[in-house]
Amino acid sequence: MTSAIDRTPLRARLGVRAVVIVGLLWTLVPLVWMVASSFKTDVDVTAAEPEFLFQPTLENYRSLFTGANNLGPYIWHSVLASGISSVLAVAIGALAGYGLAGTRMRAKKHVAFWIISTRMAPIAVVVLPLFLLFRGANLIDSIPGLILAYLTFNLPFAIWLMSAFFAEVPPSVEESALVAGCTRWQAFWHVVLPLTKSGLVTTFVLCLVFSWNDYAFALVFSGPHSQTLPIAADQLVTQTGIDWGQLTAIGTIVVLPMIVAGLAVRRWLVTGLTLGAVTGE
Amino acid sequence: MTTTLDAPAEAPVRNAKARKRFGFHGLMMTPGMVLLALLSVIPLVTIIATSFSRVHLLGGVVFDNVGLTYWARLFGDLDLWVQWLRTIAFFVLTVGLEMVLGLGFALCLWKLVRARNLLLTLFLLPMFVAPVIVGLLGRFLTDSTFGLYTWLLGLVGYHGDILGGGTSAFLAVVAMDVWEWTPLITLVVLAGLTAVPQSIREAAALDGANGWQSFRHVLLPSISGVLLVALLIRSMDAIRYFDIISVTTNGGPADATKTVPIRLYETAFRFFDLGYAAVIGLVMLVVTILIARAFVRVLDRKGLTR
């Protein structure tokens, strides 16, 4: 890369580096501080002068899994609710996304708009009627209730995103499968679907991140039998005084798996997060 | 069934095929459409019904028709209009800062060819952090006695209680959203920049364009579509922003951070004034649908909803 335009003057190059370093500090300091604090003792965490060098301890993590606020059930609820909701969203979303990408019906535009508008509806607007419906149907404080609630944002997202991935598959692929004697379903299942494997994984991971990170829905719908990790983190605050050591440990536990999952699909993130409106690098 | 199937001369055959295809695609869409209808149309009908009713929650859910009572309240509710203004201010500030910073970081990363991928990965991390953790972490960092950022601000001479003061609390929750979502803009813009053909930039350089000129007249126009998509995506999220404010200030101090979503939540689930909450919600829904329309129009222009 040494074409004429990339030979920028030294001063500009230093400027670029300075901006990037400031940007990195702004981005990373809170996360590094969170992880570091989770390994500190109570005294170190709440020291008036920030402690940059300290004796690391696993005490915060140990007390999260033993004693009164045992994190185990919360993790299980989070895994169940967000996992099942994401699997359902991807499975149903793949079928519908395929249909939407290929259909030639006249109302297609309106259907597409309706799908996307349910995804964009303000959370509070969805939560309120669902609360009344769930209360009538006895779904408050249940994992199935949370799964359904998460589907309200995961399903339209999955449909729209999968249809963007299906639109990338050239029609000739499917046509030649049909010519070779496949039924429509066989052509979809054995030929077209495998070509969107990266789309399926990306859709699943993003659905997982959205529902794993959800707070508003879980706040309203969950109870002792279904509370998720974000609620556990928040509850640590409302108890008398805040145990910041434990809180930063919970934070680390909530954040780490999603960072790993998110970075695993980095290549398709642009497509995913813009619902296919911008194709990735 | 040969490859001549799509030739214009065989239009009738193609029509038959189209009808068949409609059937199969329609079939594939059915489960998703039915489920989505259950999950969206029923709640929509419910919230509209709620806006005309006094809802009793004891002994099942009972709706009492009260006509336009709650809708009438909307117009005399000065607080709500202030909260809308605050929401708009919040919206403009967060989305504006995210766009400017995201564009800036993207341009800088784009210049750094070799380290770009590693740096971009590091830049992306905040996006995956649960907003509730962003909020709690923000509280931790700005705690008035031991917060790291409180201490840093103390070094440069600022000693206020950040989440305790109106303006500073407002700016703090803005900063938290900016921290979380600037990476998204950086990611999207960088993708747009890398898609700009080298030849166009070289041509501009040969024509003697300086850095600013080639940015303004070559780069910016070629990524304007991408920027617009990024803007709209952030817009629909920023208008419904709830988690961070809820766990940091919960609308306080003295309502300085009380946006419409917070007000809606409080009306519904703290005061159980469900009818009026439904009215506030339906107004929010209308605003969001307008934004969604703009979004789809942009997608349309890019040929995505063909």
Side-chain angles (χ1 to χ4, degrees), chain B residues 165-200:
Chain B
T167 315
S168 57
F170 187 81
L171 293 178
V173 288
V174 166
M176 290 177 211
D177 191 64
V178 170
W179 179 77
E180 171 144 44
W181 291 113
T182 299
L184 174 67
I185 310 290
T186 306
L187 176 72
V188 173
V189 173
L190 193 57
L193 284 172
T194 39
V196 177
Q198 178 105 355
S199 55
I200 297 184

Side-chain angles (χ1 to χ4, degrees), chain A residues 3 5 26-27 49-50 92 104-105 108 120-122 125 128-129 160 213 215 219 244 266 273-274 276-277, chain B residues 21-22 32 43 117 121 128 146 151 179 198 202 205 233 236 240 243 265 274 281 288 295 299 302 304 306:
Chain A
S3 58
I5 38 168
W26 156 255
T27 303
E49 288 271 308
I92 303 168
R104 292 179 187 174
M105 69 162 121
K108 176 173 175 171
M120 295 175 183
V125 178
L128 173 63
W160 191 284
N213 287 353
Y215 169 73
L219 186 62
W244 286 109
R266 215 206 80 179
L273 292 170
T274 59
Chain B
R21 180 173 289 189
F22 172 87
N117 274 326
T121 304
F128 306 110
F146 53 81
W151 178 76
W179 179 77
Q198 178 105 355
E202 268 167 5
I233 286 180
M236 59 229 192
R240 57 185 208 170
D243 300 14
Y265 186 85
L274 295 162
T288 331
F295 181 76
L299 294 192
K302 295 179 66 78
L304 210 100
R306 243 174 345 227

Side-chain angles (χ1 to χ4, degrees), chain A residues 34-183:
Chain A
M34 176 174 81
V35 177
S37 300
S38 73
F39 292 108
K40 285 182 185 175
T41 61
D42 282 353
V43 183
D44 285 339
V45 168
T46 52
E49 288 271 308
E51 312 235 354
F52 297 101
L53 293 170
F54 57 91
Q55 186 71 42
T57 164
L58 281 173
E59 201 38 55
N60 293 316
Y61 289 93
R62 199 170 299 136
S63 55
L64 277 181
F65 288 96
T66 54
N69 35 28
N70 179 13
L71 214 54
Y74 295 96
I75 295 180
W76 180 233
H77 297 154
S78 270
V79 169
L80 271 185
S82 53
I84 296 177
S85 176
S86 305
V87 168
L88 285 175
V90 172
I92 303 168
L95 298 184
Y98 169 83
L100 186 67
T103 188
R104 292 179 187 174
M105 69 162 121
R106 228 174 288 154
K108 176 173 175 171
K109 253 189 190 148
H110 301 289
V111 172
F113 179 74
W114 170 60
I115 295 171
I116 199 70
S117 63
T118 63
R119 162 73 175 133
M120 295 175 183
I123 294 167
V125 178
V126 182
V127 166
L128 173 63
L130 277 188
F131 171 74
L132 294 172
L133 292 166
F134 280 14
R135 209 165 152 125
N138 249 332
L139 281 169
I140 301 280
D141 190 14
S142 72
I143 298 291
L146 275 185
I147 292 172
L148 271 181
Y150 292 164
L151 275 177
T152 61
F153 53 80
N154 274 345
L155 184 60
F157 176 79
I159 295 175
W160 191 284
L161 186 52
M162 282 314 297
S163 98
F165 278 105
F166 280 118
E168 297 279 299
V169 180
S172 57
V173 173
E174 190 180 4
E175 270 156 26
S176 47
L178 292 176
V179 169
C182 286
T183 64

